[in-house]
C-alpha cells in the first residue's frame, strides 16, 4: 500500500512544487516591469520638462529681440511650454507611484542631458568642426557618462514594491530608523539655517544643503501621495485617511521653501554650479531618505547595491562635466551709473577718478586709482601762472598756458 500510494503522492506534490517555484519569478518580473514603467515615466517627464523650459526661454528671448509689444503670456510659444511643463511634471509625479524612490530621484540627470543637447542644437554661431568638437567635448563626454549611469540605475535599481496604504505609511512614519533620521536632519538643518541667516554664511554648499534636506522630505511625501492616489484610482480608497492630507501639506510646504532657497542661490551663484552641486546633494539626501523611510534596499544583495552606487557616481560625473562646460556670462556695463560719480564710494571703490577701465572688458564708470598708470594714459594738466605786476604797475596776463613737450 505504501509503495502504491507514494507515486500518487509524488504526482500530487509535483504540480504544487512547480506552482510554488513559478510564483517568485512572476513576482520578480512584475516588480521589474513596475520599475521599468516608473523609470520610463520619469525619463519622459524630465525630457518634456526640459523642452518646455527651453520653449519658454525662447519665447522671452524672441520678444526681447523684436518690437512686438505683446506680453510673454500672450504668445503661443510660452503657453505651449507651460502645457508641456505641466505634462512633464505629471509624468514625474506618477513615476513615484510605480518605482522605488531611490530609483526615480537620480533620473533627474536626464533633464540636464536634454538641456545640454537642446542648447547645442539651437546654437546661433557657426563653428568649424575642430572648434566645435574642442568647445563641446566635455559636454559629449558628460552626456555619455550620464546615459551609462542612467542605464546602470535602471538595471540595478532597488526592487522593493510596497503598497502605499495609510497603514503602511503610518507604520514607516513612526519607525525608529526614520525618527532617528529626522532628528539628525532637523539638527543639521537648524545649524545650517543659523549660519546662513545669523552668520551670513552665503556659501553655495550651505544653501544647496538646505535645499537638499527639504527636497528629501519633498520626495518622501510625493511618493506617499502618488501611491495613495494610485491605490484610490485602482479601487482601494485612501483619500479619506488623515495621513494623506498630512503628507500633502508637508509636500507643498517643503516644495515652497525649497524653491525659496533655490531662488536665493540663483541670485548669488551661476546656474551651472547650482545644477551640478544641487543635483549631487539632493540625490544623495533623497536616496538616504528613501532607504530609511521606505527601506528601498532591504533584501538587496551587495552586488546590486554596489552597481547602483556606481551608476549614481557615473551620473554625478556626467552632470558635473556637462555643467562645467557651460559658458559663464560676462557682465556688460555700457553706461556710467549714478553710484560711480566722482567722490562717491561704491562696490568698485579704488579711488575717486572716473576713468574707463583699461582692460579687455567694456565696463565704464568703474572707480580706478590712476596714480600707477603709465604717463601716456594720464590726463593732461594745465599749469597755472599766478598774476604778476611789473614795475610800472602794468599787469601781466592772469594766466598763460604752457605748451607741453614729450619730455614733460
Amino acid at each position: 500500500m505504501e509503495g502504491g500510494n507514494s507515486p500518487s503522492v509524488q504526482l500530487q506534490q509535483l504540480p504544487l512544487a512547480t506552482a510554488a517555484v513559478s510564483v517568485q519569478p512572476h513576482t520578480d518580473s512584475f516588480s521589474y516591469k513596475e520599475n521599468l514603467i516608473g523609470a520610463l515615466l520619469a525619463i519622459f517627464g524630465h525630457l518634456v520638462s526640459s523642452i518646455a523650459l527651453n520653449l519658454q526661454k525662447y519665447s522671452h528671448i524672441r520678444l526681447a529681440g523684436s518690437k512686438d509689444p505683446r506680453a510673454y503670456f500672450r504668445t503661443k510659444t510660452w503657453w505651449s511650454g507651460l502645457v508641456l511643463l505641466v505634462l512633464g511634471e505629471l509624468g514625474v509625479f506618477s513615476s513615484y507611484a510605480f518605482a522605488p524612490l531611490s530609483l526615480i530621484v537620480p533620473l533627474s540627470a536626464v533633464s540636464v542631458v536634454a538641456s545640454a543637447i537642446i542648447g547645442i542644437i539651437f546654437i546661433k554661431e557657426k563653428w568649424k568642426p575642430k572648434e566645435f568638437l574642442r568647445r563641446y567635448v566635455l559636454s559629449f563626454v558628460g552626456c555619455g557618462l550620464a546615459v551609462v549611469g542612467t542605464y546602470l540605475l535602471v538595471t540595478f535599481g532597488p526592487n522593493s514594491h510596497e503598497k502605499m496604504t495609510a497603514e503602511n505609511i503610518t507604520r514607516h512614519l513612526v519607525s525608529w530608523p526614520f525618527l532617528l533620521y529626522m532628528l539628525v536632519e532637523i539638527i543639521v538643518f537648524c545649524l545650517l539655517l543659523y549660519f546662513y541667516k545669523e552668520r551670513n554664511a552665503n556659501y553655495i554648499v550651505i544653501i544647496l544643503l538646505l535645499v537638499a534636506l527639504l527636497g528629501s522630505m519633498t520626495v518622501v511625501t510625493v511618493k506617499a501621495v502618488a501611491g495613495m492616489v494610485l491605490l484610490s484610482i485602482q479601487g482601494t480608497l485612501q483619500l479619506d485617511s488623515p495621513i494623506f492630507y498630512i503628507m500633502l501639506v508637508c509636500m507643498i510646504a517643503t516644495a515652497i521653501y525649497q524653491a525659496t532657497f533655490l531662488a536665493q542661490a540663483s541670485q548669488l551663484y551661476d546656474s551651472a554650479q547650482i545644477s551640478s552641486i544641487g543635483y549631487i546633494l539632493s540625490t544623495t539626501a533623497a536616496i538616504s531618505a528613501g532607504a530609511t523611510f521606505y527601506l528601498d534596499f532591504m533584501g538587496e544583495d551587495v552586488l546590486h547595491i554596489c552597481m547602483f552606487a556606481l551608476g549614481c557616481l557615473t551620473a554625478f560625473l556626467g552632470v558635473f562635466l556637462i555643467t562645467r562646460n557651460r559658458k559663464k556670462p560676462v557682465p556688460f556695463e555700457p553706461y556710467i551709473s549714478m553710484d560711480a560719480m566722482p567722490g562717491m564710494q561704491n562696490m568698485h571703490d579704488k579711488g575717486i577718478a572716473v576713468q574707463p577701465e583699461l582692460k579687455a572688458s567694456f565696463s565704464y564708470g568703474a572707480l580706478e586709482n590712476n596714480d600707477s598708470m603709465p604717463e601716456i594714459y594720464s590726463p593732461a594738466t594745465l599749469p597755472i601762472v599766478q598774476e604778476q605786476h611789473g614795475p610800472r604797475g602794468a599787469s601781466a596776463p592772469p594766466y598763460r598756458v604752457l605748451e607741453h613737450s614729450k619730455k614733460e
Side-chain angles (χ1 to χ4, degrees):
M1 297 293 295
E2 293 180 358
N5 293 333
S6 59
S8 62
V9 172
Q10 291 178 0
L11 290 175
Q12 293 176 0
Q13 291 178 351
L14 183 60
L16 295 176
T18 305
V21 171
S22 63
V23 170
Q24 185 64 28
H26 177 72
T27 304
D28 291 342
S29 63
F30 182 73
S31 299
Y32 181 76
K33 187 182 295 184
E34 284 188 336
N35 280 7
L36 185 60
I37 293 174
L40 291 177
L41 284 174
I43 292 173
F44 170 78
H46 290 300
L47 180 62
V48 173
S49 298
S50 299
I51 296 174
L53 292 175
N54 281 276
L55 276 178
Q56 290 185 334
K57 183 178 180 181
Y58 174 74
S59 176
H60 287 287
I61 294 175
R62 188 176 180 181
L63 286 176
S66 64
K67 298 180 180 180
D68 194 348
R70 294 181 301 170
Y72 64 90
F73 54 85
R74 294 183 180 273
T75 60
K76 295 180 180 180
T77 306
W78 188 87
W79 279 104
S80 300
L82 181 61
V83 173
L84 290 178
L85 182 62
V86 173
L87 181 62
E89 293 300 326
L90 286 177
V92 176
F93 177 80
S94 59
S95 66
Y96 285 96
F98 292 94
L101 173 62
S102 301
L103 173 62
I104 298 300
V105 172
L107 294 179
S108 58
V110 175
S111 62
V112 182
V113 176
S115 298
I117 295 175
I118 293 173
I120 294 175
I121 292 176
F122 285 97
I123 289 177
K124 299 300 182 181
E125 299 178 356
K126 295 182 179 180
W127 299 85
K128 295 181 180 179
K130 292 183 179 179
E131 296 179 355
F132 183 83
L133 183 61
R134 183 169 59 252
R135 173 69 176 83
Y136 292 99
V137 62
L138 289 180
S139 295
F140 293 147
V141 174
C143 291
L145 290 176
V147 171
V148 173
T150 303
Y151 173 77
L152 293 176
L153 290 172
V154 176
T155 305
F156 298 98
N159 204 21
S160 62
H161 294 273
E162 183 181 14
K163 292 185 177 181
M164 295 291 101
T165 60
E167 292 79 11
N168 291 335
I169 294 175
T170 305
R171 177 170 52 85
H172 289 305
L173 193 61
V174 297
S175 61
W176 69 267
F178 181 70
L179 292 177
L180 181 61
Y181 176 83
M182 281 297 300
L183 179 62
V184 174
E185 183 170 304
I186 290 174
I187 293 174
V188 173
F189 184 84
C190 292
L191 288 175
L192 292 174
L193 190 62
Y194 170 76
F195 284 107
Y196 176 61
K197 294 294 186 180
E198 300 298 331
R199 299 294 183 179
N200 293 325
N202 298 328
Y203 301 107
I204 185 172
V205 177
I206 293 180
I207 302 176
L208 294 182
L209 272 176
L210 293 171
V211 175
L213 294 177
L214 289 171
S216 64
M217 292 298 101
T218 302
V219 293
V220 166
T221 53
V222 164
K223 181 171 178 59
V225 172
M228 297 177 76
V229 169
L230 179 62
L231 287 179
S232 300
I233 294 175
Q234 292 176 351
T236 307
L237 185 62
Q238 302 292 326
L239 304 183
D240 57 348
S241 177
I243 193 66
F244 172 79
Y245 298 97
I246 292 175
M247 288 292 181
L248 182 62
V249 171
C250 292
M251 179 185 72
I252 296 174
T254 53
I256 291 175
Y257 283 105
Q258 185 181 357
T260 302
F261 284 114
L262 276 176
Q264 295 175 6
S266 63
Q267 295 176 358
L268 299 175
Y269 298 97
D270 184 59
S271 60
Q273 295 179 343
I274 296 174
S275 299
S276 59
I277 300 176
Y279 171 73
I280 295 173
L281 295 178
S282 298
T283 303
T284 304
I287 291 175
S288 302
T292 306
F293 188 87
Y294 294 108
L295 305 176
D296 287 342
F297 298 95
M298 182 66 68
E300 297 289 337
D301 55 357
V302 179
L303 178 61
H304 278 72
I305 295 176
C306 292
M307 294 301 294
F308 180 80
L310 179 62
C312 290
L313 293 177
T314 306
F316 291 167
L317 181 59
V319 171
F320 175 77
L321 291 178
I322 292 173
T323 55
R324 180 79 174 177
N325 196 39
R326 288 185 180 177
K327 194 174 182 180
K328 296 182 180 180
V330 178
F332 177 73
E333 301 176 4
Y335 58 89
I336 300 177
S337 58
M338 292 300 296
D339 57 352
M341 297 300 291
M344 299 182 64
Q345 294 182 354
N346 63 354
M347 61 183 296
H348 306 287
D349 191 14
K350 297 180 183 178
I352 59 173
V354 180
Q355 293 291 336
E357 290 185 354
L358 300 174
K359 299 177 183 178
S361 66
F362 296 93
S363 176
Y364 287 89
L367 299 181
E368 293 281 349
N369 190 355
N370 299 324
D371 294 338
S372 60
M373 287 187 179
E375 185 180 1
I376 190 173
Y377 292 115
S378 59
T381 57
L382 300 177
I384 305 299
V385 178
Q386 295 181 355
E387 183 179 358
Q388 298 179 355
H389 297 277
R392 296 181 180 180
S395 61
Y399 64 87
R400 61 191 180 92
V401 179
L402 297 180
E403 296 181 359
H404 290 272
S405 63
K406 294 183 179 180
K407 294 182 180 181
E408 294 178 352

